[in-house]
Amino acid sequence: MSEARTAPLALGPRARLLGRLATVLWRARGQHRLLLFLPLGLFLVTFCLIPAILLFRISLADNPGGSGYGEGTLFYRAGTWTVGNYVRFFTDDYFTQVAIFTLELGVATAVLTTALAYLIAYRIYRAGALKKSALLMVVIFPKFTNPLVLMYGFLLVFGANGLINKVLLASGLISAPVPMVYNLFSVLLGEMVLVLPYCVLSIAAVLHTIDGSLREAAAGLGATPMRTFREVTLPLSLQGVWVSILLSFIWGIGAFASPYVLGNPELYTLAIEVERQANHRLNWAMAAAVAFVLIGMILVPVLAFIRVQRDRPVEQPS
Amino acid sequence: MIARLGAAAITTLSWLTLGLLLIPLVTSLLVSLTPSEFITLPTGRISFRWYQQFFGERTWNAALTTTLLVAALTVAISFPLGLLAATAFTRYHLRWRAATHMAIMLPLFVPSVILGIGSLSFHRAIGLWGTPLSLAVAHSLWAVPLVFVVLKSTLAGVDRSVEEAAAGLGANPLRVFWEVTAPLIAPGVFVAVLFAFLISVNEFVMSLFLSTPRMRTLSVAIWPQIQYLLTPIVAAASSVMIVITLLILGVTVKLVNVRRLIEYR
């Protein structure tokens, strides 16, 4: 009997920690807003922040050396401290070239995607109700499809044995398949398709906040449609354009599926390098270092964007 | 003349782009119905032989089961977290409003490869790795911001005076939520759940890191085969995912007006 009574106490430090947590929760019960955020806060700290810290720690560890195969769990040397991985990244021509290409791909994706997204967003903005819903569906559908499935479809359409080449060969226009995939062109198009939906939505959302009477006023004052667009609509929608550029740059710089499936080893990005270091070379220390260089490359434009945005007022519920 | 040519060029370009979004998916669906051994469009007649093979083979079946299980777990994790945070966000005056919003949305902007390797090293350290829960937790990093955004805009559209009237008539907060708020936000709740489910079904890079030979999702099962274009079985596997996505989006469109995505934020 006495054993049953002491059992809970015997649970030790973990139970005491839980008890303390319960006390903290009980004291905070008047603070509804904190309680409501608590589960999400705990989740994000545990599964996003702590892994990030752990990853940074791994990036500062010595790499395992050797092939790593057959040694099981030796993906980095625990307990060692070195900046060697970062030094290697910035002194090795291979890594710097991959980094420069990744940056270029991010910029090219941002420019191409935002330009095309604007065209489609404007079309959605000016469309009637039914057409608007239909166009939105076409844009949203790929966003929810598997990126891998999209890239596979690309191969089926543009590949050497793909739809287009078969049609062209059958029609006699060409005598040998035109290479349309495994090059920069296909990587860029693939990445564009993966990123486009978000950009269209962010530009279309801003376009829809523009007061239509402004356009009518400009037309009434004698402005041509082109001039109305240039001097009224475009300046008022710039906010959406910046969001689109930022989003497409972030996702373009993190490109993985498109260059892997539609590219060749010369078109590999930092994200692919992370995966190759981790899963093929079993060098987690280097993979972690590459990951943090990638985070740094994303952080610079994001911080610049936040600085610009800081002056805008924040909406609060009334 | 030049203006008209320019307009025509812009129209063509935007239709080409829209075509680029849809044609690969339509092609996958068509190729999956080919009776041929090779990757060709079906000519003349269609066949379900690749679907028979897909649903007949144990490896594909296991991958499909894992995919659906992980997606259900992702919903179970991300929905309550997102609902509570969205409630706090729409009901209370918060001092760190912009910063909180950014913190919740942040994982959506971290490349999946980084979330993947970070999760892998952490999940291995705490012994979570290799379980469906490990994949669901990682997918929730992307599902939570989406659930949060959808529920936030839904809750913001609820007229507070209705709730206050119910409370004034003597209903306790739980009853107010259950009998007044819940029916009002039901469509948004459904959309949030479906989006979380879809995010998980179609996530690929994090799954690539966290899967094991014995526990892998459909995307990871497709991955080694995709570059070789051997048989239309991958087209069939892709089409299964496309059909799941289409069905869920179809239900979503029935429930809510898609235009709300851009018109009220």
Side-chain angles (χ1 to χ4, degrees), chain A residues 32-33 36 46-47 73 123 137 140 144 146 157 163 247 260 315-316, chain B residues 14 27 41 84 92-94 97 109 124 137 202 219 227 253 261:
Chain A
H32 292 99
R33 64 194 84 175
L36 288 169
T46 314
F47 291 107
T73 54
R123 195 155 284 271
M137 272 313 287
I140 295 165
F144 282 107
N146 195 316
V157 175
L163 196 61
L247 286 184
Y260 223 149
E315 306 151 41
Q316 294 273 5
Chain B
S14 47
T27 312
L41 291 180
L84 292 180
Y92 298 109
H93 189 97
L94 302 169
R97 194 172 188 78
F109 302 102
R124 275 180 63 101
V137 160
N202 288 324
S219 341
Q227 276 148 324
V253 173
L261 273 178

PDB file of all heavy atoms in Angstrom, chain A residues 32-33 36 46-47 73 123 137 140 144 146 157 163 247 260 315-316, chain B residues 14 27 41 84 92-94 97 109 124 137 202 219 227 253 261:
ATOM      1  N   HIS A  32      -5.329  34.861 -20.502  1.00  0.00           N
ATOM      2  CA  HIS A  32      -5.817  33.993 -21.571  1.00  0.00           C
ATOM      3  C   HIS A  32      -4.931  34.026 -22.805  1.00  0.00           C
ATOM      4  O   HIS A  32      -4.652  33.018 -23.407  1.00  0.00           O
ATOM      5  CB  HIS A  32      -7.234  34.401 -21.978  1.00  0.00           C
ATOM      6  CG  HIS A  32      -8.232  34.124 -20.925  1.00  0.00           C
ATOM      7  ND1 HIS A  32      -8.686  35.107 -20.071  1.00  0.00           N
ATOM      8  CD2 HIS A  32      -8.845  32.987 -20.561  1.00  0.00           C
ATOM      9  CE1 HIS A  32      -9.537  34.574 -19.218  1.00  0.00           C
ATOM     10  NE2 HIS A  32      -9.661  33.296 -19.496  1.00  0.00           N
ATOM     11  N   ARG A  33      -4.497  35.225 -23.177  1.00  0.00           N
ATOM     12  CA  ARG A  33      -3.777  35.326 -24.452  1.00  0.00           C
ATOM     13  C   ARG A  33      -2.493  34.515 -24.404  1.00  0.00           C
ATOM     14  O   ARG A  33      -2.123  33.879 -25.361  1.00  0.00           O
ATOM     15  CB  ARG A  33      -3.516  36.788 -24.791  1.00  0.00           C
ATOM     16  CG  ARG A  33      -2.604  37.512 -23.833  1.00  0.00           C
ATOM     17  CD  ARG A  33      -2.670  38.999 -24.035  1.00  0.00           C
ATOM     18  NE  ARG A  33      -3.798  39.565 -23.319  1.00  0.00           N
ATOM     19  CZ  ARG A  33      -4.057  40.860 -23.221  1.00  0.00           C
ATOM     20  NH1 ARG A  33      -3.297  41.709 -23.839  1.00  0.00           N
ATOM     21  NH2 ARG A  33      -5.060  41.298 -22.532  1.00  0.00           N
ATOM     22  N   LEU A  36      -3.308  30.773 -24.653  1.00  0.00           N
ATOM     23  CA  LEU A  36      -3.696  30.368 -25.996  1.00  0.00           C
ATOM     24  C   LEU A  36      -2.484  30.217 -26.914  1.00  0.00           C
ATOM     25  O   LEU A  36      -2.476  29.398 -27.828  1.00  0.00           O
ATOM     26  CB  LEU A  36      -4.677  31.381 -26.596  1.00  0.00           C
ATOM     27  CG  LEU A  36      -6.085  31.366 -25.987  1.00  0.00           C
ATOM     28  CD1 LEU A  36      -6.878  32.573 -26.449  1.00  0.00           C
ATOM     29  CD2 LEU A  36      -6.807  30.089 -26.344  1.00  0.00           C
ATOM     30  N   THR A  46      10.337  23.812 -29.518  1.00  0.00           N
ATOM     31  CA  THR A  46      10.864  22.451 -29.480  1.00  0.00           C
ATOM     32  C   THR A  46      11.273  21.955 -30.862  1.00  0.00           C
ATOM     33  O   THR A  46      12.340  21.375 -31.021  1.00  0.00           O
ATOM     34  CB  THR A  46       9.812  21.487 -28.900  1.00  0.00           C
ATOM     35  OG1 THR A  46       9.263  22.077 -27.737  1.00  0.00           O
ATOM     36  CG2 THR A  46      10.435  20.153 -28.568  1.00  0.00           C
ATOM     37  N   PHE A  47      10.421  22.174 -31.853  1.00  0.00           N
ATOM     38  CA  PHE A  47      10.667  21.500 -33.123  1.00  0.00           C
ATOM     39  C   PHE A  47      11.207  22.417 -34.218  1.00  0.00           C
ATOM     40  O   PHE A  47      11.452  21.974 -35.331  1.00  0.00           O
ATOM     41  CB  PHE A  47       9.392  20.799 -33.597  1.00  0.00           C
ATOM     42  CG  PHE A  47       9.032  19.643 -32.723  1.00  0.00           C
ATOM     43  CD1 PHE A  47       7.959  19.719 -31.842  1.00  0.00           C
ATOM     44  CD2 PHE A  47       9.796  18.483 -32.748  1.00  0.00           C
ATOM     45  CE1 PHE A  47       7.644  18.651 -31.021  1.00  0.00           C
ATOM     46  CE2 PHE A  47       9.485  17.411 -31.933  1.00  0.00           C
ATOM     47  CZ  PHE A  47       8.403  17.498 -31.061  1.00  0.00           C
ATOM     48  N   THR A  73      26.617   5.678 -36.969  1.00  0.00           N
ATOM     49  CA  THR A  73      26.064   6.969 -36.562  1.00  0.00           C
ATOM     50  C   THR A  73      27.079   8.099 -36.561  1.00  0.00           C
ATOM     51  O   THR A  73      26.811   9.170 -36.073  1.00  0.00           O
ATOM     52  CB  THR A  73      25.461   6.859 -35.158  1.00  0.00           C
ATOM     53  OG1 THR A  73      26.458   6.338 -34.285  1.00  0.00           O
ATOM     54  CG2 THR A  73      24.248   5.970 -35.154  1.00  0.00           C
ATOM     55  N   ARG A 123      -4.758  40.077 -64.894  1.00  0.00           N
ATOM     56  CA  ARG A 123      -5.857  39.415 -65.609  1.00  0.00           C
ATOM     57  C   ARG A 123      -6.955  38.998 -64.616  1.00  0.00           C
ATOM     58  O   ARG A 123      -8.142  39.175 -64.872  1.00  0.00           O
ATOM     59  CB  ARG A 123      -5.294  38.185 -66.324  1.00  0.00           C
ATOM     60  CG  ARG A 123      -6.160  37.581 -67.384  1.00  0.00           C
ATOM     61  CD  ARG A 123      -5.318  36.821 -68.385  1.00  0.00           C
ATOM     62  NE  ARG A 123      -4.635  37.735 -69.279  1.00  0.00           N
ATOM     63  CZ  ARG A 123      -5.158  38.169 -70.424  1.00  0.00           C
ATOM     64  NH1 ARG A 123      -6.339  37.736 -70.805  1.00  0.00           N
ATOM     65  NH2 ARG A 123      -4.500  39.011 -71.176  1.00  0.00           N
ATOM     66  N   MET A 137      -8.465  29.170 -59.413  1.00  0.00           N
ATOM     67  CA  MET A 137      -8.337  27.719 -59.234  1.00  0.00           C
ATOM     68  C   MET A 137      -7.138  27.192 -60.012  1.00  0.00           C
ATOM     69  O   MET A 137      -6.367  26.375 -59.507  1.00  0.00           O
ATOM     70  CB  MET A 137      -9.611  27.006 -59.710  1.00  0.00           C
ATOM     71  CG  MET A 137     -10.680  26.860 -58.662  1.00  0.00           C
ATOM     72  SD  MET A 137     -10.049  26.246 -57.106  1.00  0.00           S
ATOM     73  CE  MET A 137      -9.744  24.529 -57.537  1.00  0.00           C
ATOM     74  N   ILE A 140      -4.074  28.148 -58.091  1.00  0.00           N
ATOM     75  CA  ILE A 140      -3.895  27.544 -56.769  1.00  0.00           C
ATOM     76  C   ILE A 140      -3.614  26.046 -56.857  1.00  0.00           C
ATOM     77  O   ILE A 140      -2.859  25.497 -56.069  1.00  0.00           O
ATOM     78  CB  ILE A 140      -5.146  27.791 -55.899  1.00  0.00           C
ATOM     79  CG1 ILE A 140      -5.293  29.279 -55.633  1.00  0.00           C
ATOM     80  CG2 ILE A 140      -5.040  27.065 -54.571  1.00  0.00           C
ATOM     81  CD1 ILE A 140      -6.648  29.633 -55.106  1.00  0.00           C
ATOM     82  N   PHE A 144      -0.826  23.315 -54.550  1.00  0.00           N
ATOM     83  CA  PHE A 144      -1.098  22.237 -53.603  1.00  0.00           C
ATOM     84  C   PHE A 144      -0.691  20.870 -54.134  1.00  0.00           C
ATOM     85  O   PHE A 144      -0.904  19.865 -53.483  1.00  0.00           O
ATOM     86  CB  PHE A 144      -2.580  22.233 -53.220  1.00  0.00           C
ATOM     87  CG  PHE A 144      -2.901  23.293 -52.223  1.00  0.00           C
ATOM     88  CD1 PHE A 144      -3.596  24.413 -52.581  1.00  0.00           C
ATOM     89  CD2 PHE A 144      -2.462  23.172 -50.926  1.00  0.00           C
ATOM     90  CE1 PHE A 144      -3.865  25.402 -51.667  1.00  0.00           C
ATOM     91  CE2 PHE A 144      -2.724  24.145 -49.999  1.00  0.00           C
ATOM     92  CZ  PHE A 144      -3.433  25.270 -50.370  1.00  0.00           C
ATOM     93  N   ASN A 146       2.092  18.047 -55.463  1.00  0.00           N
ATOM     94  CA  ASN A 146       3.441  17.668 -55.089  1.00  0.00           C
ATOM     95  C   ASN A 146       4.454  18.260 -56.081  1.00  0.00           C
ATOM     96  O   ASN A 146       4.310  18.084 -57.280  1.00  0.00           O
ATOM     97  CB  ASN A 146       3.523  16.146 -55.123  1.00  0.00           C
ATOM     98  CG  ASN A 146       4.736  15.639 -54.418  1.00  0.00           C
ATOM     99  OD1 ASN A 146       5.810  16.188 -54.601  1.00  0.00           O
ATOM    100  ND2 ASN A 146       4.560  14.629 -53.614  1.00  0.00           N
ATOM    101  N   VAL A 157       6.355  16.220 -70.590  1.00  0.00           N
ATOM    102  CA  VAL A 157       5.987  17.155 -71.665  1.00  0.00           C
ATOM    103  C   VAL A 157       7.215  17.577 -72.470  1.00  0.00           C
ATOM    104  O   VAL A 157       7.208  17.546 -73.698  1.00  0.00           O
ATOM    105  CB  VAL A 157       5.298  18.402 -71.072  1.00  0.00           C
ATOM    106  CG1 VAL A 157       5.033  19.434 -72.164  1.00  0.00           C
ATOM    107  CG2 VAL A 157       3.989  18.008 -70.407  1.00  0.00           C
ATOM    108  N   LEU A 163       6.032  14.819 -74.886  1.00  0.00           N
ATOM    109  CA  LEU A 163       4.888  15.189 -75.719  1.00  0.00           C
ATOM    110  C   LEU A 163       5.296  16.093 -76.881  1.00  0.00           C
ATOM    111  O   LEU A 163       5.012  15.804 -78.047  1.00  0.00           O
ATOM    112  CB  LEU A 163       3.898  15.926 -74.800  1.00  0.00           C
ATOM    113  CG  LEU A 163       2.470  16.110 -75.269  1.00  0.00           C
ATOM    114  CD1 LEU A 163       1.837  14.757 -75.471  1.00  0.00           C
ATOM    115  CD2 LEU A 163       1.702  16.905 -74.212  1.00  0.00           C
ATOM    116  N   LEU A 247       9.325  36.805 -51.964  1.00  0.00           N
ATOM    117  CA  LEU A 247       8.922  35.399 -51.870  1.00  0.00           C
ATOM    118  C   LEU A 247       9.631  34.552 -52.920  1.00  0.00           C
ATOM    119  O   LEU A 247      10.191  33.496 -52.615  1.00  0.00           O
ATOM    120  CB  LEU A 247       7.412  35.269 -52.070  1.00  0.00           C
ATOM    121  CG  LEU A 247       6.501  35.713 -50.942  1.00  0.00           C
ATOM    122  CD1 LEU A 247       5.055  35.422 -51.283  1.00  0.00           C
ATOM    123  CD2 LEU A 247       6.890  35.004 -49.661  1.00  0.00           C
ATOM    124  N   TYR A 260      17.263  19.496 -59.300  1.00  0.00           N
ATOM    125  CA  TYR A 260      17.621  18.080 -59.167  1.00  0.00           C
ATOM    126  C   TYR A 260      17.001  17.256 -60.297  1.00  0.00           C
ATOM    127  O   TYR A 260      17.663  16.429 -60.928  1.00  0.00           O
ATOM    128  CB  TYR A 260      17.126  17.532 -57.821  1.00  0.00           C
ATOM    129  CG  TYR A 260      18.126  16.642 -57.114  1.00  0.00           C
ATOM    130  CD1 TYR A 260      18.161  16.599 -55.717  1.00  0.00           C
ATOM    131  CD2 TYR A 260      19.030  15.850 -57.802  1.00  0.00           C
ATOM    132  CE1 TYR A 260      19.066  15.812 -55.028  1.00  0.00           C
ATOM    133  CE2 TYR A 260      19.935  15.065 -57.133  1.00  0.00           C
ATOM    134  CZ  TYR A 260      19.961  15.043 -55.749  1.00  0.00           C
ATOM    135  OH  TYR A 260      20.852  14.268 -55.084  1.00  0.00           O
ATOM    136  N   GLU A 315      -2.053  46.476 -37.862  1.00  0.00           N
ATOM    137  CA  GLU A 315      -3.494  46.422 -37.551  1.00  0.00           C
ATOM    138  C   GLU A 315      -3.711  45.677 -36.235  1.00  0.00           C
ATOM    139  O   GLU A 315      -3.110  44.647 -35.991  1.00  0.00           O
ATOM    140  CB  GLU A 315      -4.255  45.678 -38.650  1.00  0.00           C
ATOM    141  CG  GLU A 315      -4.024  46.224 -40.038  1.00  0.00           C
ATOM    142  CD  GLU A 315      -4.167  45.122 -41.081  1.00  0.00           C
ATOM    143  OE1 GLU A 315      -5.095  44.299 -40.929  1.00  0.00           O
ATOM    144  OE2 GLU A 315      -3.355  45.081 -42.014  1.00  0.00           O
ATOM    145  N   GLN A 316      -4.584  46.215 -35.399  1.00  0.00           N
ATOM    146  CA  GLN A 316      -4.983  45.541 -34.161  1.00  0.00           C
ATOM    147  C   GLN A 316      -6.487  45.326 -34.209  1.00  0.00           C
ATOM    148  O   GLN A 316      -7.188  46.142 -34.808  1.00  0.00           O
ATOM    149  CB  GLN A 316      -4.640  46.407 -32.952  1.00  0.00           C
ATOM    150  CG  GLN A 316      -3.161  46.605 -32.733  1.00  0.00           C
ATOM    151  CD  GLN A 316      -2.526  45.511 -31.913  1.00  0.00           C
ATOM    152  OE1 GLN A 316      -3.163  44.533 -31.567  1.00  0.00           O
ATOM    153  NE2 GLN A 316      -1.253  45.656 -31.596  1.00  0.00           N
TER     154      GLN A 316
ATOM    155  N   SER B  14       0.581  35.324 -70.884  1.00  0.00           N
ATOM    156  CA  SER B  14      -0.093  34.911 -69.653  1.00  0.00           C
ATOM    157  C   SER B  14      -0.816  33.582 -69.854  1.00  0.00           C
ATOM    158  O   SER B  14      -0.835  32.753 -68.943  1.00  0.00           O
ATOM    159  CB  SER B  14      -1.037  35.996 -69.136  1.00  0.00           C
ATOM    160  OG  SER B  14      -1.830  36.508 -70.151  1.00  0.00           O
ATOM    161  N   THR B  27      -0.831  15.898 -68.416  1.00  0.00           N
ATOM    162  CA  THR B  27      -0.062  14.867 -69.104  1.00  0.00           C
ATOM    163  C   THR B  27       0.156  13.652 -68.203  1.00  0.00           C
ATOM    164  O   THR B  27       0.015  12.512 -68.643  1.00  0.00           O
ATOM    165  CB  THR B  27       1.288  15.438 -69.574  1.00  0.00           C
ATOM    166  OG1 THR B  27       1.041  16.672 -70.225  1.00  0.00           O
ATOM    167  CG2 THR B  27       1.979  14.494 -70.522  1.00  0.00           C
ATOM    168  N   LEU B  41       1.257   8.635 -74.456  1.00  0.00           N
ATOM    169  CA  LEU B  41      -0.139   9.008 -74.252  1.00  0.00           C
ATOM    170  C   LEU B  41      -1.001   7.863 -74.768  1.00  0.00           C
ATOM    171  O   LEU B  41      -0.630   7.200 -75.731  1.00  0.00           O
ATOM    172  CB  LEU B  41      -0.462  10.291 -75.024  1.00  0.00           C
ATOM    173  CG  LEU B  41       0.205  11.551 -74.507  1.00  0.00           C
ATOM    174  CD1 LEU B  41      -0.196  12.740 -75.353  1.00  0.00           C
ATOM    175  CD2 LEU B  41      -0.148  11.807 -73.059  1.00  0.00           C
ATOM    176  N   LEU B  84      -5.888  27.780 -31.499  1.00  0.00           N
ATOM    177  CA  LEU B  84      -5.679  28.532 -30.262  1.00  0.00           C
ATOM    178  C   LEU B  84      -4.953  29.841 -30.548  1.00  0.00           C
ATOM    179  O   LEU B  84      -5.363  30.913 -30.083  1.00  0.00           O
ATOM    180  CB  LEU B  84      -4.873  27.696 -29.259  1.00  0.00           C
ATOM    181  CG  LEU B  84      -5.592  26.467 -28.681  1.00  0.00           C
ATOM    182  CD1 LEU B  84      -4.684  25.745 -27.705  1.00  0.00           C
ATOM    183  CD2 LEU B  84      -6.883  26.876 -28.010  1.00  0.00           C
ATOM    184  N   TYR B  92      -7.383  39.504 -28.861  1.00  0.00           N
ATOM    185  CA  TYR B  92      -6.698  40.300 -27.855  1.00  0.00           C
ATOM    186  C   TYR B  92      -5.777  41.326 -28.487  1.00  0.00           C
ATOM    187  O   TYR B  92      -5.267  41.143 -29.584  1.00  0.00           O
ATOM    188  CB  TYR B  92      -5.887  39.398 -26.915  1.00  0.00           C
ATOM    189  CG  TYR B  92      -6.741  38.431 -26.156  1.00  0.00           C
ATOM    190  CD1 TYR B  92      -6.710  37.083 -26.456  1.00  0.00           C
ATOM    191  CD2 TYR B  92      -7.594  38.886 -25.157  1.00  0.00           C
ATOM    192  CE1 TYR B  92      -7.511  36.179 -25.770  1.00  0.00           C
ATOM    193  CE2 TYR B  92      -8.399  37.992 -24.466  1.00  0.00           C
ATOM    194  CZ  TYR B  92      -8.352  36.655 -24.774  1.00  0.00           C
ATOM    195  OH  TYR B  92      -9.139  35.781 -24.096  1.00  0.00           O
ATOM    196  N   HIS B  93      -5.576  42.393 -27.733  1.00  0.00           N
ATOM    197  CA  HIS B  93      -4.595  43.383 -28.124  1.00  0.00           C
ATOM    198  C   HIS B  93      -3.233  42.856 -27.704  1.00  0.00           C
ATOM    199  O   HIS B  93      -3.012  42.571 -26.537  1.00  0.00           O
ATOM    200  CB  HIS B  93      -4.911  44.708 -27.422  1.00  0.00           C
ATOM    201  CG  HIS B  93      -4.079  45.828 -27.925  1.00  0.00           C
ATOM    202  ND1 HIS B  93      -4.536  46.700 -28.890  1.00  0.00           N
ATOM    203  CD2 HIS B  93      -2.830  46.204 -27.626  1.00  0.00           C
ATOM    204  CE1 HIS B  93      -3.583  47.569 -29.150  1.00  0.00           C
ATOM    205  NE2 HIS B  93      -2.544  47.307 -28.405  1.00  0.00           N
ATOM    206  N   LEU B  94      -2.326  42.699 -28.659  1.00  0.00           N
ATOM    207  CA  LEU B  94      -1.027  42.123 -28.341  1.00  0.00           C
ATOM    208  C   LEU B  94       0.064  43.157 -28.537  1.00  0.00           C
ATOM    209  O   LEU B  94       0.039  43.919 -29.500  1.00  0.00           O
ATOM    210  CB  LEU B  94      -0.733  40.926 -29.247  1.00  0.00           C
ATOM    211  CG  LEU B  94      -1.751  39.797 -29.196  1.00  0.00           C
ATOM    212  CD1 LEU B  94      -1.494  38.819 -30.311  1.00  0.00           C
ATOM    213  CD2 LEU B  94      -1.684  39.098 -27.849  1.00  0.00           C
ATOM    214  N   ARG B  97       2.602  42.137 -31.640  1.00  0.00           N
ATOM    215  CA  ARG B  97       1.755  41.557 -32.663  1.00  0.00           C
ATOM    216  C   ARG B  97       2.520  41.165 -33.947  1.00  0.00           C
ATOM    217  O   ARG B  97       2.475  40.024 -34.378  1.00  0.00           O
ATOM    218  CB  ARG B  97       0.658  42.550 -33.021  1.00  0.00           C
ATOM    219  CG  ARG B  97      -0.432  41.937 -33.808  1.00  0.00           C
ATOM    220  CD  ARG B  97      -1.583  42.921 -33.955  1.00  0.00           C
ATOM    221  NE  ARG B  97      -2.698  42.249 -34.545  1.00  0.00           N
ATOM    222  CZ  ARG B  97      -3.496  41.452 -33.888  1.00  0.00           C
ATOM    223  NH1 ARG B  97      -3.304  41.247 -32.611  1.00  0.00           N
ATOM    224  NH2 ARG B  97      -4.481  40.843 -34.497  1.00  0.00           N
ATOM    225  N   PHE B 109       9.052  30.053 -44.620  1.00  0.00           N
ATOM    226  CA  PHE B 109      10.032  30.705 -45.479  1.00  0.00           C
ATOM    227  C   PHE B 109      11.428  30.124 -45.306  1.00  0.00           C
ATOM    228  O   PHE B 109      12.386  30.662 -45.827  1.00  0.00           O
ATOM    229  CB  PHE B 109      10.041  32.211 -45.213  1.00  0.00           C
ATOM    230  CG  PHE B 109       8.692  32.816 -45.434  1.00  0.00           C
ATOM    231  CD1 PHE B 109       7.873  33.140 -44.367  1.00  0.00           C
ATOM    232  CD2 PHE B 109       8.207  32.988 -46.716  1.00  0.00           C
ATOM    233  CE1 PHE B 109       6.616  33.652 -44.571  1.00  0.00           C
ATOM    234  CE2 PHE B 109       6.943  33.494 -46.932  1.00  0.00           C
ATOM    235  CZ  PHE B 109       6.142  33.830 -45.861  1.00  0.00           C
ATOM    236  N   ARG B 124      16.492  12.327 -34.306  1.00  0.00           N
ATOM    237  CA  ARG B 124      17.368  11.211 -33.968  1.00  0.00           C
ATOM    238  C   ARG B 124      17.815  11.314 -32.517  1.00  0.00           C
ATOM    239  O   ARG B 124      17.859  10.321 -31.792  1.00  0.00           O
ATOM    240  CB  ARG B 124      18.591  11.205 -34.876  1.00  0.00           C
ATOM    241  CG  ARG B 124      18.376  10.509 -36.195  1.00  0.00           C
ATOM    242  CD  ARG B 124      19.652  10.563 -37.005  1.00  0.00           C
ATOM    243  NE  ARG B 124      20.715   9.852 -36.338  1.00  0.00           N
ATOM    244  CZ  ARG B 124      21.101   8.629 -36.681  1.00  0.00           C
ATOM    245  NH1 ARG B 124      20.519   8.019 -37.683  1.00  0.00           N
ATOM    246  NH2 ARG B 124      22.066   8.027 -36.042  1.00  0.00           N
ATOM    247  N   VAL B 137       5.282  15.834 -37.370  1.00  0.00           N
ATOM    248  CA  VAL B 137       5.780  17.013 -36.659  1.00  0.00           C
ATOM    249  C   VAL B 137       6.473  17.952 -37.640  1.00  0.00           C
ATOM    250  O   VAL B 137       6.253  19.165 -37.635  1.00  0.00           O
ATOM    251  CB  VAL B 137       6.746  16.579 -35.527  1.00  0.00           C
ATOM    252  CG1 VAL B 137       7.632  17.717 -35.098  1.00  0.00           C
ATOM    253  CG2 VAL B 137       5.956  16.042 -34.348  1.00  0.00           C
ATOM    254  N   ASN B 202       1.582  16.257 -49.949  1.00  0.00           N
ATOM    255  CA  ASN B 202       2.419  16.651 -51.076  1.00  0.00           C
ATOM    256  C   ASN B 202       3.810  17.114 -50.682  1.00  0.00           C
ATOM    257  O   ASN B 202       4.601  17.475 -51.539  1.00  0.00           O
ATOM    258  CB  ASN B 202       1.706  17.749 -51.874  1.00  0.00           C
ATOM    259  CG  ASN B 202       0.537  17.169 -52.644  1.00  0.00           C
ATOM    260  OD1 ASN B 202       0.595  16.056 -53.133  1.00  0.00           O
ATOM    261  ND2 ASN B 202      -0.543  17.920 -52.730  1.00  0.00           N
ATOM    262  N   SER B 219       5.785  10.385 -52.023  1.00  0.00           N
ATOM    263  CA  SER B 219       6.777  11.204 -52.739  1.00  0.00           C
ATOM    264  C   SER B 219       8.150  10.572 -52.669  1.00  0.00           C
ATOM    265  O   SER B 219       8.891  10.567 -53.650  1.00  0.00           O
ATOM    266  CB  SER B 219       6.873  12.611 -52.157  1.00  0.00           C
ATOM    267  OG  SER B 219       5.774  12.948 -51.404  1.00  0.00           O
ATOM    268  N   GLN B 227      13.852   9.998 -62.171  1.00  0.00           N
ATOM    269  CA  GLN B 227      14.782  10.479 -63.186  1.00  0.00           C
ATOM    270  C   GLN B 227      14.981   9.484 -64.322  1.00  0.00           C
ATOM    271  O   GLN B 227      15.562   9.817 -65.338  1.00  0.00           O
ATOM    272  CB  GLN B 227      16.123  10.835 -62.540  1.00  0.00           C
ATOM    273  CG  GLN B 227      16.081  12.243 -61.983  1.00  0.00           C
ATOM    274  CD  GLN B 227      16.948  12.385 -60.767  1.00  0.00           C
ATOM    275  OE1 GLN B 227      17.062  11.464 -59.952  1.00  0.00           O
ATOM    276  NE2 GLN B 227      17.589  13.526 -60.624  1.00  0.00           N
ATOM    277  N   VAL B 253     -13.666  24.370 -52.688  1.00  0.00           N
ATOM    278  CA  VAL B 253     -14.342  25.367 -53.512  1.00  0.00           C
ATOM    279  C   VAL B 253     -15.844  25.355 -53.245  1.00  0.00           C
ATOM    280  O   VAL B 253     -16.504  26.393 -53.235  1.00  0.00           O
ATOM    281  CB  VAL B 253     -14.045  25.096 -54.999  1.00  0.00           C
ATOM    282  CG1 VAL B 253     -14.866  26.014 -55.882  1.00  0.00           C
ATOM    283  CG2 VAL B 253     -12.575  25.309 -55.275  1.00  0.00           C
ATOM    284  N   LEU B 261      -9.668  34.421 -51.006  1.00  0.00           N
ATOM    285  CA  LEU B 261      -8.225  34.314 -50.821  1.00  0.00           C
ATOM    286  C   LEU B 261      -7.524  35.626 -51.129  1.00  0.00           C
ATOM    287  O   LEU B 261      -6.495  35.942 -50.548  1.00  0.00           O
ATOM    288  CB  LEU B 261      -7.660  33.236 -51.738  1.00  0.00           C
ATOM    289  CG  LEU B 261      -7.674  31.829 -51.194  1.00  0.00           C
ATOM    290  CD1 LEU B 261      -7.132  30.884 -52.226  1.00  0.00           C
ATOM    291  CD2 LEU B 261      -6.828  31.754 -49.940  1.00  0.00           C
TER     292      LEU B 261
END
